[in-house]
Every structure is written in structure tokens, then in C-alpha cells.
Amino acid sequence: MTLPQLGDEMTEALSGDPSTLPHPALARLIGPTRSRALAALRRPRSTTRLAASIGCSLAAASEHARVLRDSGLITTERHGKSVMHSITALGWNLLSRRTDVRSGSGDIVEPSQPPQR
């Protein structure tokens, strides 16, 4: 029995690389799968590639994208038969914020800026 090879998106999602994973507090706020979806959209992706990135069905990825879009965290543009999802400035801000837990102050560390398009 041979198993299908993981695509780059799924390998990235499962790598556990801290730079690609959302902050645990974000996962508690919007849910672990939706926070991974937002993190995956640091690079614009189609719904199909988003589903592969977060390891869910196409229907589930579409629903996660809808909720993120309705919340103003991503935008969606149709290109022919597919759609491309991109993170908004609000999404970048939410994804990038970190609490300074070392000092115990709870101060917010300013986010890094999203890449210029």
C-alpha cells in the first residue's frame, strides 16, 4: 500500500515551524483550524490550496474563508473559476500581535508589517 505524498502546503502546516504557526491565544480566540487558515494566508491562496494547507476538505476551507472574510480578516477575489484569498491589514495585525509574557506585563509587542504588494 502506498500513501500519497504530502503537498508542500500540508508539509508546511505539519512542520510545527513556530514562524508559520499562529499564536496560541489566537487559536483560543478563533479556533485552531481557523487560526491556521489565517496563518496560511500570509501568502495568497486559492480555496483548494488553502484546504491542502490546513488539512481539511474543500467545503470546510470555503467555510473558514467565509468566516474570516466576514470578519474582515481576509479578502477574496474571483479569478475565472477559482477564488484567491488574501490577508487584510486587520488580519496581519491580529496574526502578528504577541503578548510580552516574559515581563508578565501583558504589554503588546507591535506587529511586523505585511509585505507590500
Side-chain angles (χ1 to χ4, degrees), residues 22-39 64 67-68 71 73 91 94-95:
H23 193 280
L26 180 60
R28 289 192 303 273
L29 178 66
I30 66 174
T33 305
R34 204 158 284 147
S35 65
R36 284 195 320 271
L38 185 62
H64 288 305
V67 172
L68 293 171
S71 301
L73 300 175
L94 182 63
L95 191 61

Side-chain angles (χ1 to χ4, degrees), residues 9-55:
E9 293 86 8
M10 189 63 159
T11 301
E12 178 182 299
L14 296 175
S15 70
D17 178 357
S19 68
T20 63
L21 298 175
H23 193 280
L26 180 60
R28 289 192 303 273
L29 178 66
I30 66 174
T33 305
R34 204 158 284 147
S35 65
R36 284 195 320 271
L38 185 62
L41 292 172
R42 286 181 174 125
R43 291 184 301 197
R45 297 176 192 263
S46 67
T47 306
T48 301
R49 292 185 71 87
L50 177 61
S53 295
I54 62 175

Side-chain angles (χ1 to χ4, degrees), residues 16-17 35 48-49 51 71 83 85-86 89-92 94 96 106 109:
D17 178 357
S35 65
T48 301
R49 292 185 71 87
S71 301
V83 294
H85 307 288
S86 302
L90 178 62
W92 273 105
L94 182 63
S96 300
V109 177

